[in-house]
C-alpha cells in the first residue's frame, strides 16, 4: 500500500476498530518511536551551527514538496508549506513530535502520514543546514562520515561501507551520496541532500 493510500485509509477508518495495516496505527501514535529517532529529531540534539542556520535554509533554499492529500481535499500550496516549516523551526525547542502534530492539525492530514513526511523533510532541512554550516568554515583536513541509525536501504549501507572509521573529506562523502543514488535508487529524490525517500541518515564530522 502506498503512503497516500495509507493516508486515505487512516482518514476513513478508526484503526482501533477496523482491520487496517498495523503500521498505519503505529505511525499515528508516535510513542514507539520516542527512543528510536536519530539526532536530527530534536533541536536540543543538533549542533549549534545547525540551529543557527536552519531557519535561513528554510527561507532561502526550501525545495520540499508538500505532502500529498486525497482527491477530495485541496492540495497544500508550497508557499504555505514553506511558511509552516519556518514557523516551526523558528520556535525552539522543536522536535519531530511537535512538528508532525502541528502539520497534521494545520493541513488536516492523518497523523501517521504527517509523522512520516515530517521525518523525511526535517532530516533534509537539518542536513542542508549541516552542509551549509560545514561549507562556511575551512574544510581542509576535516573528515566526515555517513551517520544515523542502522541502514535499512542498500544505498545508505553502501555509503557506510565506503567510508573508513577515520572518515573521508567532505567532498568525497558528497560524491558517494550521489553515486549511491545512481546505483541503488530507482526514483531518486531531486534534492542533492537526500539519498532516498524516507532517509534518516546524514553527513557528520568525525570528532
Amino acid at each position: 500500500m502506498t503512503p497516500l493510500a495509507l493516508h486515505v485509509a487512516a482518514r476513513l477508518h478508526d484503526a482501533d476498530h477496523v482491520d487496517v495495516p498495523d503500521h498505519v496505527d503505529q505511525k499515528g501514535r508516535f510513542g514507539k518511536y520516542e527512543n528510536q529517532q536519530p539526532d536530527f529529531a530534536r533541536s536540543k540534539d543538533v549542533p549549534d551551527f545547525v540551529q543557527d542556520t536552519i531557519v535561513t535554509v528554510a527561507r532561502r533554499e526550501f525545495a520540499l514538496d508538500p505532502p500529498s492529500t486525497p482527491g477530495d481535499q485541496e492540495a497544500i500550496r508550497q508557499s504555505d508549506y514553506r511558511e509552516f516549516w519556518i514557523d516551526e523551526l523558528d520556535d525552539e525547542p522543536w522536535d519531530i513530535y511537535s512538528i508532525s502534530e502541528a502539520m497534521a492539525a494545520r493541513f488536516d492530514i492523518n497523523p501517521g502520514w504527517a509523522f512520516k513526511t515530517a521525518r523525511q523533510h526535517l532530516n533534509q532541512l537539518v542536513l542542508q543546514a549541516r552542509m551549509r554550516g560545514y561549507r562556511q568554515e575551512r574544510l581542509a583536513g576535516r573528515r566526515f562520515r555517513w551517520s544515523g541509525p542502522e541502514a535499512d536501504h542498500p544505498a545508505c549501507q553502501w555509503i557506510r561501507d565506503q567510508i573508513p572509521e577515520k572518515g573521508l573529506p567532505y567532498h568525497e562523502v558528497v560524491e558517494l551520496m550521489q553515486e549511491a543514488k545512481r546505483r541503488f535508487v530507482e526514483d531518486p529524490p531531486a534534492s542533492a541532500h537526500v539519498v532516498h525517500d524516507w532517509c534518516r541518515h546524514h553527513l557528520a564530522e568525525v570528532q
Side-chain angles (χ1 to χ4, degrees), residues 5 21 42 46 71 86 104 138 141 172 180-181:
R42 302 172 183 85
V46 301
I86 292 171
R138 182 177 173 84
E172 291 187 26
K181 289 171 73 169

Side-chain angles (χ1 to χ4, degrees), residues 120 124 178 181 185 187-198:
Q120 169 160 324
Q124 180 168 333
Q178 303 313 310
K181 289 171 73 169
V185 186
D187 186 19
S191 171
H193 303 91
V194 178
V195 173
H196 63 87
D197 285 339
W198 320 121

Side-chain angles (χ1 to χ4, degrees), residues 80-150:
D80 291 339
Y81 195 52
R82 174 175 170 270
E83 287 303 316
F84 165 79
W85 277 103
I86 292 171
D87 291 345
E88 291 299 311
L89 297 172
D90 201 30
D91 185 21
E92 292 190 33
W94 47 257
D95 60 52
I96 185 65
Y97 311 105
S98 63
I99 291 173
S100 59
E101 289 172 351
M103 182 184 296
R106 181 160 173 176
F107 298 115
D108 190 26
I109 59 177
N110 170 256
W113 181 224
F115 182 86
K116 194 170 185 180
T117 301
R119 185 179 71 182
Q120 169 160 324
H121 289 177
L122 179 59
N123 187 27
Q124 180 168 333
L125 289 166
V126 169
L127 184 52
Q128 284 181 250
R130 276 183 178 273
M131 296 174 77
R132 181 186 179 96
Y134 290 143
R135 292 193 306 270
Q136 288 175 344
E137 299 180 3
R138 182 177 173 84
L139 289 171
R142 300 165 71 187
R143 297 275 174 159
F144 298 84
R145 59 190 170 88
W146 194 235
S147 181
E150 182 178 353

Side-chain angles (χ1 to χ4, degrees), residues 152-198:
D152 56 3
H153 192 287
C156 285
Q157 186 59 55
W158 181 83
I159 295 172
R160 284 188 160 179
D161 291 343
Q162 311 312 305
I163 301 176
E165 187 174 347
K166 66 179 181 180
L168 289 173
Y170 174 90
H171 294 293
E172 291 187 26
V173 179
V174 173
E175 289 174 2
L176 287 175
M177 292 167 61
Q178 303 313 310
E179 179 63 22
K181 289 171 73 169
R182 289 191 291 269
R183 289 187 179 213
F184 300 101
V185 186
E186 184 175 347
D187 186 19
S191 171
H193 303 91
V194 178
V195 173
H196 63 87
D197 285 339
W198 320 121

